[in-house]
Amino acid sequence: MKVYHQTGHNLKWNIDSYKEGVGNGLIFSPINIDADKLLRDTEIEIKKVSFLDPQLYLLNQAKGSLETYPFFPENLRSDFSTPDLDNDNLILAELCINYQLQNDFKYLVIPTKYNVENPTNYLIQCTDYFVLPFCEFAKQKQANKKILLSVIIKGIMLTDDDKRNEVLNWITGHQNVDGVYLIFENNFAPKQIKDFDYLLNALRLIKVLKDNLMEVHIGYCNTEALLYSIAMPDSVTIGSYENLRSFGIRRFQETENGPMRSPNARLYSSKLLQWVDYGYIQPMKTLVENYSGYFDESAYNPLTNFEPDYNWQFKKTEPYKHYFYVFDKQIKELQENQTDRIVGLKSTIKNAISLFNKIENDVLLDENSDGSHLPTWFNVINAFQKELNK
């Protein structure tokens, strides 16, 4: 299973880490890099193992550098809206595919648009506006590239059986599509997903896509990428800031409501399967024997390389490069066989729960730094394993 960098702000961190052997490629973000800079200044050898997220989620909002891309709809006409796709879908497909071919990305990615609701005609619109014209133009170009279909999976598409079957039938019904760039929308307040039905149905959806011989590349992953791995997708992602590890449409909106509060710096631990708020580091250092042993070694671990004077701040590069290295290694060490992978991950979860029990004998953690997500994850794995064995 491959690991892609979900890029955004501070793209250089991802490129530097990739050059250090972390990850298999990058997913480029148009709102964060100028189109000409990506085309002319980014190394072709990196782009050949990477792909583009076209990010046409909001057709008429030019967040960041998106308007520099030839396929941005408002470059075709001002005040572009969904009905304009009836007339401009072919030229949009041509511009988007040509740009991806110019960069020689590994895949051609079909964009999708975002809907707040889930209207009954949404999938039909996506077929008419994006899938058919993109596949037709790719055929005309005789592009020797696999095609990925971007799909945003809203919560109701997982928890409602009819909606889940509808989207699965829609995805697998496109014969000219080789795989899917799968994005699970995350509207949960906690930093780790703790919803049993959501996670189990995500695994079921991935499994059906793989059973239909499709490539499955899951974007915007946090630690639950480990859980998704047991459904045997082709890739998951690593991202620096939280909005690259959890998909929300606010990232693509031109204005965000109200002031944004800077999050606390956090440090990832593969042993705990959790990001721990730095505010707990000092209590752990004081109260927990061998506290640093709960965290992985890497060249970027602040606890072993930059203490005692390290300035913990969420914009500092070290915690993220530490995470890139540690999580990529953790993913790559997963067993190749599905049965063995399931057994191994269950063992890892049990061990993490045991470690949290030891820590919380002396230091209590909040729900975004503790192991409260782990029992749910364990139960999800058991439920999925039971279905596999039927």
Side-chain angles (χ1 to χ4, degrees):
M1 187 170 67
K2 293 183 178 179
V3 175
Y4 287 100
H5 289 262
Q6 192 88 52
T7 66
H9 186 57
N10 286 322
L11 168 64
K12 187 177 185 300
W13 296 352
N14 304 99
I15 291 177
D16 289 346
S17 290
Y18 172 75
K19 289 181 176 180
E20 293 171 2
V22 175
N24 299 96
L26 287 73
I27 302 174
F28 286 101
S29 168
I31 68 172
N32 297 104
I33 182 172
D34 181 274
D36 195 59
K37 181 177 177 64
L38 177 55
L39 179 62
R40 308 200 183 281
D41 297 343
T42 305
E43 296 173 39
I44 189 65
E45 294 307 315
I46 293 178
K47 291 191 287 187
K48 283 183 175 180
V49 295
S50 305
F51 62 92
L52 182 77
D53 177 350
Q55 295 180 344
L56 297 186
Y57 304 123
L58 303 171
L59 297 174
N60 57 1
Q61 294 200 34
K63 178 77 176 284
S65 300
L66 188 55
E67 65 182 353
T68 68
Y69 286 76
F71 55 83
F72 178 61
E74 285 205 339
N75 288 330
L76 303 180
R77 65 178 71 215
S78 59
D79 300 319
F80 194 99
S81 62
T82 299
D84 292 315
L85 286 169
D86 286 323
N87 299 315
D88 295 329
N89 56 354
L90 293 175
I91 185 65
L92 196 69
E94 180 178 345
L95 292 169
C96 192
I97 288 176
N98 280 339
Y99 181 79
Q100 294 183 63
L101 289 174
Q102 283 180 291
N103 283 276
D104 199 17
F105 293 122
K106 182 177 177 65
Y107 298 98
L108 292 178
V109 179
I110 303 174
T112 191
K113 69 185 189 73
Y114 179 84
N115 277 88
V116 175
E117 303 297 331
N118 187 34
T120 54
N121 64 341
Y122 171 67
L123 297 178
I124 295 173
Q125 284 186 343
C126 287
T127 298
D128 293 339
Y129 294 156
F130 299 113
V131 183
L132 294 180
F134 272 73
C135 289
E136 179 59 30
F137 187 72
K139 182 179 179 181
Q140 291 178 23
K141 293 289 287 188
Q142 296 182 328
N144 188 26
K145 303 277 187 183
K146 288 186 176 181
I147 297 175
L148 299 182
L149 174 62
S150 300
V151 183
I152 297 172
I153 301 296
K154 302 180 76 67
I156 194 168
M157 294 178 178
L158 292 178
T159 55
D160 184 291
D161 289 345
D162 290 338
K163 292 289 186 183
R164 188 173 69 256
N165 290 332
E166 182 183 16
V167 75
L168 280 168
N169 289 334
W170 177 74
I171 295 171
T172 57
H174 296 299
Q175 300 301 313
N176 295 317
V177 171
D178 300 286
V180 59
Y181 172 43
L182 197 63
I183 300 168
F184 294 110
E185 185 174 32
N186 184 342
N187 292 320
F188 298 105
K191 296 183 186 297
Q192 301 286 4
I193 302 174
K194 307 176 186 181
D195 187 299
F196 177 89
D197 289 334
Y198 179 98
L199 291 170
L200 178 57
N201 284 313
L203 292 176
R204 289 168 172 163
L205 187 143
I206 296 166
K207 179 183 182 299
V208 172
L209 293 174
K210 291 305 302 175
D211 287 346
N212 279 270
L213 305 180
M214 300 193 77
E215 289 193 23
V216 178
H217 302 275
I218 308 176
Y220 293 90
C221 295
N222 194 6
T223 317
E224 72 277 354
L226 289 163
L227 193 59
Y228 296 153
S229 78
I230 67 171
M232 310 305 284
D234 294 86
S235 76
V236 292
T237 56
I238 48 177
S240 53
Y241 300 123
E242 290 178 5
N243 64 1
L244 298 174
R245 289 181 271 118
S246 172
F247 181 86
I249 199 59
R250 290 183 65 188
R251 178 173 176 248
F252 304 95
Q253 293 172 329
E254 293 178 273
T255 57
E256 297 182 348
N257 297 326
M260 299 293 289
R261 185 179 68 85
S262 298
N264 289 340
R266 309 174 73 82
L267 187 64
Y268 179 70
S269 165
S270 71
K271 300 173 185 178
L272 298 174
L273 303 177
Q274 180 62 293
W275 293 74
V276 178
D277 190 310
Y278 88 98
Y280 295 113
I281 300 296
Q282 189 60 38
M284 288 178 66
K285 183 176 182 179
T286 302
L287 296 168
V288 178
E289 184 179 356
N290 188 32
Y291 85 103
S292 64
Y294 290 89
F295 298 92
D296 307 81
E297 287 295 326
S298 86
Y300 298 101
N301 184 343
L303 302 183
T304 55
N305 295 289
F306 306 101
E307 288 281 20
D309 301 320
Y310 186 73
N311 177 25
W312 287 90
Q313 207 267 358
F314 88 101
K315 291 184 178 180
K316 298 284 287 280
T317 180
E318 291 82 13
Y320 302 112
K321 286 190 174 181
H322 171 75
Y323 162 67
F324 295 159
Y325 172 82
V326 170
F327 199 70
D328 178 67
K329 183 172 181 285
Q330 190 172 19
I331 290 291
K332 298 296 175 54
E333 289 177 348
L334 290 169
Q335 294 86 344
E336 292 188 14
N337 175 273
Q338 186 178 34
T339 300
D340 294 340
R341 183 177 295 184
I342 289 172
V343 171
L345 186 55
K346 286 169 66 173
S347 176
T348 300
I349 290 174
K350 282 186 174 181
N351 186 62
I353 292 172
S354 177
L355 292 176
F356 272 117
N357 288 336
K358 291 179 181 178
I359 292 171
E360 295 193 334
N361 284 331
D362 300 297
V363 176
L364 292 180
L365 307 168
D366 66 40
E367 69 165 348
N368 288 319
S369 292
D370 67 9
S372 57
H373 58 295
L374 297 175
T376 298
W377 288 17
F378 190 88
N379 295 337
V380 167
I381 295 173
N382 272 341
F384 185 68
Q385 185 179 27
K386 183 177 180 179
E387 292 182 4
L388 289 177
N389 292 333
K390 282 184 179 179

